[in-house]
Amino acid sequence: MSAHDSERDELIEQAQLQVLGLLEEAERVRFERCLEAADAETRQAVIQFQAELAREQLCLPAVEPEPSLKFRVLAEVAEAVQDRDAAFAPIASIGPASAELVANQVSDYHEGISEVGRANWEFRREAARWRRSSAMWRAASLVFAGGIGASLLFYAELSREYQALAARAFSSGVEREITAKSIGLESALTWRPVVHSMSACGGFTGAGFVVADSVHNRIIPVVVADGAGGLLTVSAVGDDGVRVTFGSLRVGTGIASADLAADGLQVRQLRDFELADEHGLVVLRWVDTGQAG
Amino acid sequence: MGVGGRRPKLTQMQDEWSLMQRVSKGDDAAVIELYTRFGALVFRSCYQTVGTRAEADDAVQEVFVQLWKTAARFDPERAKLITWVMLLTRRLLIDRLRRKQAKPPGAALVGDYAAPEPKPYIDSGTAQMPQGLLAKRLAELPNLQREVIERTYLQGFTLREVSVQLETPLGTVKSALSRGLARLRGRLSADEASGQ
């Protein structure tokens, strides 16, 4: 017998023990190294021999598994997959099925496969598939973040539009006759005139209007108030009858505009809108034309 | 059984590798296919070792979860899929047997051979005894070969442990195991050929 044959016989002997799980760890490692180092023909012979032995084992009993075992195996693997995905999911999952639920569903398959059991199992499998698809979660997150970004860009654009309209109002020189319509503010998507017209009071001269930005819950008065320089206090009466002061509007060159927060007040229900000077004298007042609100 | 064999077809290797890659990703269809191919064989092996249907069912589930966990490591150039599956099955079964066995005090540590008392035979309450044709063919083997096969293959003891239990040198135990297995497989193959 040549050294080659001897080596091959030894490998075959070790291969037999390995397939039957009878090699200790160190021997198993040594066997695998020897197998890797062997020539291709010997390696293939050993691999083929191991496959035959693995199929035969040692006189396995002629018993068949219950048909339901297949589904229990599938459920067990699906649960293990789900547990792994839950552990590595980038975003929290909806939640793994409770142990009780899983146990109930698996038990449906213990004695046999009922239609209800099959439906439950299919449902659970689909749910597991959804939960484990972290790619879906990532995609949903990207869409959500994209939506927020688009909204921010949209409102930034609106803000720029407002500034352009305000600049147009200042430059239009439509003194005492300005309205939201006249300078195109009514065309702004989220802005709605809530005070179409204001007239001067107490010896002052001027005019104005107010638009509401319901998205940001703010009002934007645009006024011309000759002879009423300085700060004008902006106020209105809400639906509950209480007068609310929004803030101040500085009038320097006759025409002015400002964003004033209208938190806590339904901007579409403003009435009795007033601008008063520092002494409390009303300079401009809402004119009830039946259009406001 | 001949030990010669043709080089496996590339398509079979690709097929087995592809299947295990899909299994590793938790693909239900792939797990079904794997079970369809090997479920019955794994079950018989489990049943032969643990002896009851309920325990065999549990063992089969454990085997397939372990197959899913290790599927990505399967290398068709080093072993065929059936070898991989049955090797993993045998390892899990041996682990299961060892967990179950009440070993004699001091026998657990590899290398510590001073403490354990020689054990003439395994506790029949915890060990699976061979049955049917296998028992018949085992009984025909010389005593040492029979005992070594029963203690390693059916009861999950390591060769070193068997060497200590039988107070026999490790080399002799290894030889007895190899010769016994070869003789046993020869007789079982002859039985199969004759339709027994």
Side-chain angles (χ1 to χ4, degrees):
Chain A
M1 181 184 285
S2 69
H4 178 266
D5 290 342
S6 171
E7 179 196 2
R8 178 169 153 156
D9 287 349
E10 191 178 337
L11 269 175
I12 291 288
E13 185 182 310
Q14 294 285 301
Q16 169 179 252
L17 299 182
Q18 193 213 16
V19 171
L20 298 177
L22 302 179
L23 283 186
E24 290 180 12
E25 185 62 20
E27 290 173 319
R28 187 183 62 77
V29 171
R30 199 179 313 124
F31 164 73
E32 288 177 354
R33 281 185 189 154
C34 289
L35 186 59
E36 278 183 17
D39 61 80
E41 189 188 352
T42 301
R43 197 161 56 239
Q44 286 308 319
V46 169
I47 288 173
Q48 184 65 28
F49 170 69
Q50 282 193 309
E52 288 168 14
L53 187 56
R55 188 173 299 283
E56 290 175 1
Q57 296 288 307
L58 285 183
C59 193
L60 294 179
V63 289
E64 291 297 324
E66 297 281 346
S68 61
L69 180 59
K70 175 180 181 178
F71 295 96
R72 287 158 59 197
V73 164
L74 290 174
E76 196 75 13
V77 173
E79 190 181 349
V81 171
Q82 182 185 319
D83 288 347
R84 181 201 60 180
D85 287 352
F88 291 102
I91 295 177
S93 67
I94 294 169
S98 69
E100 186 182 0
L101 178 63
V102 171
N104 288 341
Q105 287 163 342
V106 169
S107 69
D108 289 338
Y109 287 84
H110 187 68
E111 296 302 332
I113 310 158
S114 67
E115 284 304 313
V116 174
R118 183 186 295 277
N120 281 343
W121 187 77
E122 292 290 345
F123 171 79
R124 180 177 169 276
R125 194 174 63 159
E126 287 304 312
R129 181 176 291 150
W130 165 252
R131 274 192 288 272
R132 71 170 169 261
S133 56
S134 56
M136 287 187 191
W137 283 108
R138 281 194 282 268
S141 304
L142 286 175
V143 169
F144 182 68
I148 290 178
S151 299
L152 288 173
L153 287 174
F154 177 71
Y155 288 114
E157 184 61 29
L158 275 184
S159 179
R160 278 196 294 277
E161 187 179 356
Y162 161 70
Q163 288 169 1
L165 287 169
R168 199 188 315 167
F170 279 99
S171 62
S172 66
V174 194
E175 296 179 4
R176 296 177 180 76
E177 295 296 331
I178 60 171
T179 65
K181 189 175 182 180
S182 71
I183 62 169
L185 270 181
E186 279 182 327
S187 65
L189 189 60
T190 62
W191 298 345
R192 182 174 45 79
V194 289
V195 176
H196 285 260
S197 179
M198 283 187 289
S199 62
C201 311
F204 295 98
T205 58
F209 64 90
V210 181
V211 292
D213 177 0
S214 57
V215 173
H216 299 100
N217 211 27
R218 63 183 181 172
I219 59 169
I220 305 162
V222 181
V223 301
V224 175
D226 285 348
L231 286 174
L232 297 181
T233 303
V234 181
S235 67
V237 174
D239 201 37
D240 55 1
V242 176
R243 177 168 290 280
V244 177
T245 299
F246 296 110
S248 298
L249 178 63
R250 179 173 292 281
V251 180
T253 56
I255 186 167
S257 171
D259 289 351
L260 298 173
D263 290 339
L265 193 67
Q266 291 287 336
V267 292
R268 61 178 297 123
Q269 294 170 349
L270 298 180
R271 58 190 172 87
D272 203 8
F273 201 93
E274 286 182 356
L275 273 73
D277 68 8
E278 56 189 346
H279 306 295
L281 294 173
V282 176
V283 176
L284 290 170
R285 175 170 284 157
W286 169 55
V287 177
D288 185 3
T289 61
Q291 294 174 300
Chain B
M1 182 190 305
V3 296
R6 288 178 302 174
R7 189 181 184 82
K9 290 178 183 174
L10 192 60
T11 51
Q12 185 194 355
M13 292 169 72
Q14 284 174 334
D15 170 62
E16 293 184 341
W17 182 83
S18 168
L19 175 63
M20 293 308 274
Q21 289 300 306
R22 284 164 53 218
V23 168
S24 74
K25 295 183 174 100
D27 182 338
D28 290 339
V31 177
I32 289 173
E33 190 178 337
L34 187 67
Y35 181 87
T36 304
R37 287 192 196 181
F38 303 113
L41 185 61
V42 170
F43 176 79
R44 286 188 205 116
S45 182
C46 292
Y47 186 84
Q48 184 188 53
T49 305
V50 299
T52 68
R53 223 169 233 288
E55 276 195 80
D57 284 357
D58 287 346
V60 170
Q61 290 176 63
E62 190 182 346
V63 166
F64 276 87
V65 169
Q66 198 61 30
L67 281 170
W68 161 70
K69 284 182 181 172
T70 58
R73 298 209 301 266
F74 170 67
D75 181 356
E77 291 191 346
R78 296 176 68 178
K80 291 194 174 184
L81 184 52
I82 189 170
T83 310
W84 175 273
V85 169
M86 295 315 292
L87 180 57
L88 191 143
T89 301
R90 282 296 303 164
R91 282 189 193 159
L92 285 179
L93 286 171
I94 287 172
D95 284 348
R96 193 172 267 257
L97 283 174
R98 288 178 182 169
R99 285 199 301 266
K100 202 175 166 188
Q101 279 163 357
K103 292 188 178 181
L109 294 177
V110 175
D112 178 10
Y113 301 116
E117 288 293 319
K119 194 175 181 188
Y121 210 84
I122 304 305
D123 191 353
S124 61
T126 57
Q128 167 66 5
M129 293 293 115
Q131 294 173 348
L133 185 59
L134 180 59
K136 186 178 170 188
R137 291 299 173 229
L138 275 172
E140 292 168 1
L141 293 177
N143 281 346
L144 182 62
Q145 292 178 10
R146 189 191 71 244
E147 289 219 359
V148 171
I149 291 175
E150 285 180 353
R151 290 175 189 232
T152 53
Y153 182 76
L154 293 171
Q155 294 160 10
F157 286 103
T158 66
L159 288 169
R160 286 179 194 280
E161 287 168 339
V162 174
S163 167
V164 173
Q165 290 165 8
L166 300 179
E167 294 183 305
T168 306
L170 183 59
T172 308
V173 170
K174 283 183 181 176
S175 300
L177 178 63
S178 295
R179 288 202 200 103
L181 285 173
R183 188 179 293 190
L184 188 61
R185 280 192 296 100
R187 291 186 181 180
L188 291 171
S189 296
D191 289 340
E192 193 178 343
S194 66
Q196 187 170 344

